[in-house]
Amino acid sequence: PRYWLIGAGKGAGRWDEFQKNGEVRLGYSSKTALVGDVSGMSRDEIADIVTPEGGNAPVNDILALYQFASEVEIGDRVFVKKGRSEIVGLGVVTGEYRFEADEPYALARDVHWLASGDWLIPGENMLPMKTLTDITSKHDLIEAMLPLMIGSDDVVEGAGDAEPYTLEHAQAGLFLPPEQISAIVSALKVKKNVIL
């Protein structure tokens, strides 16, 4: 999965609403009007809508709108940030992009929230200021955030209800015969590592 960092309004003011409704939302208004449904639009088409006449293109906003509608996928992980040093939630995207014109944050996706809390990012990691950021390649940042939430008392009820991953699941996606997979699992239990 890809990992995304998203804001929830000023001071994460919309986080409670996101959590209650099992969703994450993105909103943007240009100086002239609310941006409409960006489904299927290219970045250039979005830029044409949100760039003020004679002004500079809001590059980060254009990218956020495009990625939210076109690149975020079901199964991706979403961290909700508060400011530049705090995380308040972690979830898994469960729904396709949708547009709800009557909402100020009109772009939405359903999310199964796994954890909720107030976690300060350790060390000198500072979170990006952008509203939506793909942090999949930021391994140090992800590795700093995930341990804060794993085993947390604030993990949302039902977060561990996922179906266990069994040998049958592994066999369906591998080119190895069942006997060889069983031998590898046995070796892992004894030696704690396997070279494939």
Side-chain angles (χ1 to χ4, degrees):
R2 291 171 79 173
Y3 288 84
W4 300 90
L5 188 65
I6 192 165
K10 187 174 183 179
R14 299 185 71 96
W15 166 234
D16 288 340
E17 177 187 334
F18 288 179
Q19 191 175 6
K20 176 184 167 191
N21 296 331
E23 64 187 7
V24 66
R25 290 182 169 274
L26 186 67
Y28 178 80
S29 58
S30 69
K31 291 183 179 178
T32 55
L34 286 172
V35 172
D37 187 359
V38 296
S39 178
M41 287 187 182
S42 69
R43 286 164 67 170
D44 289 340
E45 290 170 322
I46 295 171
D48 289 343
I49 295 170
V50 301
T51 303
E53 191 173 323
N56 294 325
V59 178
N60 290 338
D61 296 327
I62 293 165
L63 182 60
L65 290 163
Y66 175 77
Q67 287 181 319
F68 192 85
S70 302
E71 294 185 1
V72 174
E73 295 183 359
I74 292 173
D76 286 357
R77 302 328 190 238
V78 179
F79 292 99
V80 179
K81 67 177 183 163
K82 180 179 181 183
R84 299 201 60 203
S85 60
E86 191 174 348
I87 297 293
V88 295
L90 167 65
V92 177
V93 177
T94 59
E96 298 290 347
Y97 163 84
R98 68 181 187 276
F99 176 75
E100 297 175 356
D102 57 337
E103 294 286 335
Y105 279 50
L107 287 66
R109 285 180 177 271
D110 291 333
V111 174
H112 175 68
W113 295 110
L114 301 174
S116 172
D118 292 298
W119 298 285
L120 288 175
I121 302 305
E124 298 186 13
N125 289 303
M126 292 297 285
L127 302 174
M129 291 193 306
K130 299 187 319 184
T131 301
L132 179 70
T133 307
D134 181 356
I135 59 168
T136 307
S137 63
K138 310 252 186 242
H139 303 290
D140 292 345
L141 181 58
I142 294 168
E143 289 171 11
M145 293 190 301
L146 281 177
L148 299 174
M149 298 164 202
I150 296 171
S152 168
D153 291 338
D154 297 315
V155 172
V156 175
E157 186 178 331
D161 293 345
E163 179 183 337
Y165 190 78
T166 65
L167 281 177
E168 289 76 28
H169 289 112
Q171 289 170 4
L174 294 175
F175 57 89
L176 301 171
E179 316 74 58
Q180 197 170 0
I181 295 173
S182 294
I184 291 170
V185 171
S186 296
L188 273 173
K189 289 179 181 174
V190 174
K191 296 183 179 184
K192 306 295 183 205
N193 65 53
V194 171
I195 299 173
L196 298 175

PDB file of all heavy atoms in Angstrom, residues 180-195:
ATOM      1  N   GLN A 180       7.035 -27.241  -0.159  1.00  0.00           N
ATOM      2  CA  GLN A 180       8.179 -26.338  -0.050  1.00  0.00           C
ATOM      3  C   GLN A 180       7.834 -25.137   0.839  1.00  0.00           C
ATOM      4  O   GLN A 180       8.661 -24.685   1.622  1.00  0.00           O
ATOM      5  CB  GLN A 180       8.615 -25.877  -1.441  1.00  0.00           C
ATOM      6  CG  GLN A 180      10.005 -25.280  -1.456  1.00  0.00           C
ATOM      7  CD  GLN A 180      10.520 -25.056  -2.873  1.00  0.00           C
ATOM      8  OE1 GLN A 180       9.841 -25.339  -3.850  1.00  0.00           O
ATOM      9  NE2 GLN A 180      11.735 -24.550  -2.968  1.00  0.00           N
ATOM     10  N   ILE A 181       6.611 -24.643   0.739  1.00  0.00           N
ATOM     11  CA  ILE A 181       6.187 -23.539   1.605  1.00  0.00           C
ATOM     12  C   ILE A 181       6.201 -23.991   3.062  1.00  0.00           C
ATOM     13  O   ILE A 181       6.686 -23.279   3.948  1.00  0.00           O
ATOM     14  CB  ILE A 181       4.789 -23.023   1.194  1.00  0.00           C
ATOM     15  CG1 ILE A 181       4.840 -22.413  -0.210  1.00  0.00           C
ATOM     16  CG2 ILE A 181       4.274 -21.991   2.200  1.00  0.00           C
ATOM     17  CD1 ILE A 181       3.500 -22.029  -0.773  1.00  0.00           C
ATOM     18  N   SER A 182       5.694 -25.177   3.337  1.00  0.00           N
ATOM     19  CA  SER A 182       5.698 -25.710   4.705  1.00  0.00           C
ATOM     20  C   SER A 182       7.120 -25.859   5.232  1.00  0.00           C
ATOM     21  O   SER A 182       7.399 -25.560   6.402  1.00  0.00           O
ATOM     22  CB  SER A 182       4.984 -27.062   4.755  1.00  0.00           C
ATOM     23  OG  SER A 182       3.616 -26.888   4.453  1.00  0.00           O
ATOM     24  N   ALA A 183       8.052 -26.309   4.378  1.00  0.00           N
ATOM     25  CA  ALA A 183       9.450 -26.450   4.787  1.00  0.00           C
ATOM     26  C   ALA A 183      10.060 -25.089   5.123  1.00  0.00           C
ATOM     27  O   ALA A 183      10.812 -24.954   6.102  1.00  0.00           O
ATOM     28  CB  ALA A 183      10.254 -27.137   3.684  1.00  0.00           C
ATOM     29  N   ILE A 184       9.718 -24.071   4.337  1.00  0.00           N
ATOM     30  CA  ILE A 184      10.226 -22.721   4.594  1.00  0.00           C
ATOM     31  C   ILE A 184       9.692 -22.193   5.922  1.00  0.00           C
ATOM     32  O   ILE A 184      10.427 -21.624   6.730  1.00  0.00           O
ATOM     33  CB  ILE A 184       9.866 -21.775   3.431  1.00  0.00           C
ATOM     34  CG1 ILE A 184      10.659 -22.165   2.177  1.00  0.00           C
ATOM     35  CG2 ILE A 184      10.110 -20.315   3.806  1.00  0.00           C
ATOM     36  CD1 ILE A 184      10.208 -21.450   0.917  1.00  0.00           C
ATOM     37  N   VAL A 185       8.396 -22.394   6.164  1.00  0.00           N
ATOM     38  CA  VAL A 185       7.797 -21.938   7.425  1.00  0.00           C
ATOM     39  C   VAL A 185       8.451 -22.648   8.609  1.00  0.00           C
ATOM     40  O   VAL A 185       8.769 -22.027   9.624  1.00  0.00           O
ATOM     41  CB  VAL A 185       6.261 -22.145   7.411  1.00  0.00           C
ATOM     42  CG1 VAL A 185       5.672 -21.880   8.780  1.00  0.00           C
ATOM     43  CG2 VAL A 185       5.613 -21.248   6.373  1.00  0.00           C
ATOM     44  N   SER A 186       8.687 -23.955   8.487  1.00  0.00           N
ATOM     45  CA  SER A 186       9.354 -24.708   9.565  1.00  0.00           C
ATOM     46  C   SER A 186      10.752 -24.169   9.812  1.00  0.00           C
ATOM     47  O   SER A 186      11.176 -24.002  10.964  1.00  0.00           O
ATOM     48  CB  SER A 186       9.431 -26.196   9.210  1.00  0.00           C
ATOM     49  OG  SER A 186       8.138 -26.739   9.124  1.00  0.00           O
ATOM     50  N   ALA A 187      11.485 -23.874   8.739  1.00  0.00           N
ATOM     51  CA  ALA A 187      12.834 -23.324   8.886  1.00  0.00           C
ATOM     52  C   ALA A 187      12.805 -21.954   9.559  1.00  0.00           C
ATOM     53  O   ALA A 187      13.658 -21.636  10.388  1.00  0.00           O
ATOM     54  CB  ALA A 187      13.511 -23.233   7.520  1.00  0.00           C
ATOM     55  N   LEU A 188      11.811 -21.156   9.218  1.00  0.00           N
ATOM     56  CA  LEU A 188      11.675 -19.842   9.859  1.00  0.00           C
ATOM     57  C   LEU A 188      11.468 -19.961  11.361  1.00  0.00           C
ATOM     58  O   LEU A 188      12.013 -19.185  12.140  1.00  0.00           O
ATOM     59  CB  LEU A 188      10.492 -19.088   9.249  1.00  0.00           C
ATOM     60  CG  LEU A 188      10.761 -18.263   8.006  1.00  0.00           C
ATOM     61  CD1 LEU A 188       9.470 -17.718   7.436  1.00  0.00           C
ATOM     62  CD2 LEU A 188      11.711 -17.129   8.308  1.00  0.00           C
ATOM     63  N   LYS A 189      10.665 -20.930  11.767  1.00  0.00           N
ATOM     64  CA  LYS A 189      10.386 -21.108  13.195  1.00  0.00           C
ATOM     65  C   LYS A 189      11.636 -21.502  13.961  1.00  0.00           C
ATOM     66  O   LYS A 189      11.814 -21.099  15.105  1.00  0.00           O
ATOM     67  CB  LYS A 189       9.286 -22.158  13.388  1.00  0.00           C
ATOM     68  CG  LYS A 189       7.923 -21.670  12.951  1.00  0.00           C
ATOM     69  CD  LYS A 189       6.857 -22.734  13.117  1.00  0.00           C
ATOM     70  CE  LYS A 189       5.512 -22.214  12.651  1.00  0.00           C
ATOM     71  NZ  LYS A 189       4.481 -23.241  12.671  1.00  0.00           N
ATOM     72  N   VAL A 190      12.522 -22.280  13.321  1.00  0.00           N
ATOM     73  CA  VAL A 190      13.720 -22.758  13.997  1.00  0.00           C
ATOM     74  C   VAL A 190      14.875 -21.769  13.864  1.00  0.00           C
ATOM     75  O   VAL A 190      15.490 -21.378  14.850  1.00  0.00           O
ATOM     76  CB  VAL A 190      14.141 -24.142  13.437  1.00  0.00           C
ATOM     77  CG1 VAL A 190      15.461 -24.595  14.021  1.00  0.00           C
ATOM     78  CG2 VAL A 190      13.047 -25.165  13.717  1.00  0.00           C
ATOM     79  N   LYS A 191      15.158 -21.339  12.629  1.00  0.00           N
ATOM     80  CA  LYS A 191      16.341 -20.520  12.366  1.00  0.00           C
ATOM     81  C   LYS A 191      16.076 -19.022  12.411  1.00  0.00           C
ATOM     82  O   LYS A 191      17.003 -18.232  12.429  1.00  0.00           O
ATOM     83  CB  LYS A 191      16.920 -20.893  10.997  1.00  0.00           C
ATOM     84  CG  LYS A 191      17.425 -22.320  10.925  1.00  0.00           C
ATOM     85  CD  LYS A 191      18.037 -22.585   9.576  1.00  0.00           C
ATOM     86  CE  LYS A 191      18.577 -24.002   9.510  1.00  0.00           C
ATOM     87  NZ  LYS A 191      19.245 -24.270   8.260  1.00  0.00           N
ATOM     88  N   LYS A 192      14.820 -18.620  12.353  1.00  0.00           N
ATOM     89  CA  LYS A 192      14.408 -17.211  12.382  1.00  0.00           C
ATOM     90  C   LYS A 192      14.781 -16.423  11.129  1.00  0.00           C
ATOM     91  O   LYS A 192      14.642 -15.212  11.092  1.00  0.00           O
ATOM     92  CB  LYS A 192      14.979 -16.478  13.612  1.00  0.00           C
ATOM     93  CG  LYS A 192      14.655 -17.148  14.925  1.00  0.00           C
ATOM     94  CD  LYS A 192      13.177 -17.133  15.179  1.00  0.00           C
ATOM     95  CE  LYS A 192      12.882 -17.741  16.546  1.00  0.00           C
ATOM     96  NZ  LYS A 192      11.567 -18.281  16.651  1.00  0.00           N
ATOM     97  N   ASN A 193      15.320 -17.103  10.098  1.00  0.00           N
ATOM     98  CA  ASN A 193      15.538 -16.430   8.827  1.00  0.00           C
ATOM     99  C   ASN A 193      15.611 -17.462   7.713  1.00  0.00           C
ATOM    100  O   ASN A 193      15.866 -18.627   7.956  1.00  0.00           O
ATOM    101  CB  ASN A 193      16.798 -15.541   8.854  1.00  0.00           C
ATOM    102  CG  ASN A 193      18.061 -16.358   9.027  1.00  0.00           C
ATOM    103  OD1 ASN A 193      18.320 -17.296   8.290  1.00  0.00           O
ATOM    104  ND2 ASN A 193      18.874 -15.987  10.015  1.00  0.00           N
ATOM    105  N   VAL A 194      15.376 -17.003   6.495  1.00  0.00           N
ATOM    106  CA  VAL A 194      15.409 -17.875   5.331  1.00  0.00           C
ATOM    107  C   VAL A 194      15.977 -17.087   4.181  1.00  0.00           C
ATOM    108  O   VAL A 194      15.637 -15.916   3.988  1.00  0.00           O
ATOM    109  CB  VAL A 194      13.984 -18.367   4.955  1.00  0.00           C
ATOM    110  CG1 VAL A 194      14.004 -19.077   3.621  1.00  0.00           C
ATOM    111  CG2 VAL A 194      13.432 -19.293   6.009  1.00  0.00           C
ATOM    112  N   ILE A 195      16.871 -17.706   3.426  1.00  0.00           N
ATOM    113  CA  ILE A 195      17.379 -17.093   2.205  1.00  0.00           C
ATOM    114  C   ILE A 195      16.690 -17.784   1.037  1.00  0.00           C
ATOM    115  O   ILE A 195      16.778 -18.992   0.895  1.00  0.00           O
ATOM    116  CB  ILE A 195      18.910 -17.250   2.110  1.00  0.00           C
ATOM    117  CG1 ILE A 195      19.580 -16.547   3.286  1.00  0.00           C
ATOM    118  CG2 ILE A 195      19.411 -16.698   0.779  1.00  0.00           C
ATOM    119  CD1 ILE A 195      21.069 -16.790   3.386  1.00  0.00           C
TER     120      ILE A 195
END
